[in-house]
């Protein structure tokens, strides 16, 4: 099996943005699944990389973002999926985990070939990240129960696009390590 990295997208979040009310129900469903996925990945020594929006705070760092999210009203969605000491962390400015970030370099330095994308938002950041991973020749896997959405119909379409157009494996998180 290819060397794998679990990419956790935008889960360090205060949910203080325009679409938060639409995102929160799906995020609440995804957090327990993602928490289990993180435990399994860590027990198997899979590289875990958080790639997170910086929310326009260019002077911030991951510790500051985590502290702010844990102090906010939705800390219950952050606490179970927060980075541990072995996790890597990359800040991003736009939707894709690759745009203007050092992620490609980091992945190549660690000989990563397979990316498991999880987090939020399926029809935005996960979709664009899957496309950018595909064009960079990474194998892409998306556990459908470990990605949160704003609009379920668009999320379903995005998952189909990832599978059909990008050759991504879309599966249930329980099937991920088979």
């Amino acid at each position: 099996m290819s060397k794998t990295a679990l990419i956790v997208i935008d889960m360090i979040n205060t949910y203080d943005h325009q679409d938060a009310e639409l995102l929160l129900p799906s995020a609440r469903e995804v957090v327990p699944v993602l928490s289990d996925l993180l435990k399994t990945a860590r027990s198997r020594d899979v590289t875990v990389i958080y790639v997170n929006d910086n929310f326009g705070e260019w002077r911030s760092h991951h510790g500051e973002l985590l502290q702010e999210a844990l102090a906010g009203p939705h800390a219950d969605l952050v606490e179970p999926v927060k980075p541990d000491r072995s996790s890597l962390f990359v800040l991003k400015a736009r939707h894709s985990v690759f745009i203007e970030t050092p992620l490609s370099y980091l992945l190549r330095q660690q000989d990563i070939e397979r990316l498991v994308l999880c987090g939020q938002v399926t029809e935005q950041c996960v979709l664009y990240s899957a496309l950018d991973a595909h064009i960079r020749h990474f194998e892409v896997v998306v556990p459908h129960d470990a990605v949160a959405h704003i609009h379920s119909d668009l999320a379903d379409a995005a998952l189909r696009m990832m599978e059909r157009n990008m050759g991504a494996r879309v599966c249930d998180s329980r099937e991920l390590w088979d």
Side-chain angles (χ1 to χ4, degrees):
M1 178 173 18
S2 303
K3 189 165 179 193
T4 300
L6 181 67
I7 309 295
V8 181
I9 303 171
D10 290 338
M11 291 304 295
I12 309 305
N13 201 310
T14 61
Y15 297 92
D16 182 24
H17 51 81
Q18 182 178 355
D19 294 321
E21 290 304 314
L22 295 172
L23 176 59
L24 282 165
S26 181
R28 290 195 189 289
E29 291 178 12
V30 164
V31 164
V33 175
L34 187 49
S35 178
D36 289 345
L37 192 57
L38 283 162
K39 286 176 192 159
T40 302
R42 289 172 176 144
S43 74
R44 293 172 174 253
D45 292 322
V46 171
T47 300
V48 176
I49 306 172
Y50 287 74
V51 184
N52 216 89
D53 196 319
N54 70 7
F55 303 105
E57 297 295 327
W58 292 102
R59 70 187 178 286
S60 65
H61 55 83
H62 73 277
E64 185 178 328
L65 291 174
L66 180 59
Q67 186 177 27
E68 186 175 336
L70 289 172
H74 301 290
D76 62 313
L77 297 177
V78 178
E79 179 66 36
V81 297
K82 69 182 182 184
D84 67 3
R85 294 179 58 80
S86 67
S87 301
L88 303 175
F89 204 101
V90 174
L91 288 175
K92 68 182 182 73
R94 299 293 295 168
H95 294 78
S96 172
V97 297
F98 290 97
I99 299 301
E100 304 295 335
T101 74
L103 185 62
S104 286
Y105 181 80
L106 173 65
L107 295 170
R108 297 295 182 209
Q109 288 297 305
Q110 298 207 4
D111 297 319
I112 302 291
E113 297 173 354
R114 180 179 186 242
L115 305 182
V116 177
L117 303 179
C118 57
Q120 54 197 19
V121 169
T122 310
E123 65 272 27
Q124 294 174 14
C125 299
V126 177
L127 174 63
Y128 304 142
S129 298
L131 176 59
D132 283 349
H134 171 72
I135 64 174
R136 286 169 174 78
H137 302 286
F138 289 101
E139 180 184 344
V140 177
V141 180
V142 181
H144 63 80
D145 54 337
V147 288
H149 61 269
I150 295 171
H151 302 286
S152 62
D153 60 330
L154 296 177
D156 290 343
L159 289 168
R160 286 194 313 273
M161 288 172 62
M162 288 182 245
E163 192 169 42
R164 173 173 271 180
N165 299 343
M166 298 163 214
R169 177 178 170 221
V170 176
C171 64
D172 189 279
S173 63
R174 293 173 298 219
E175 301 167 354
L176 187 59
W177 310 112
D178 293 344

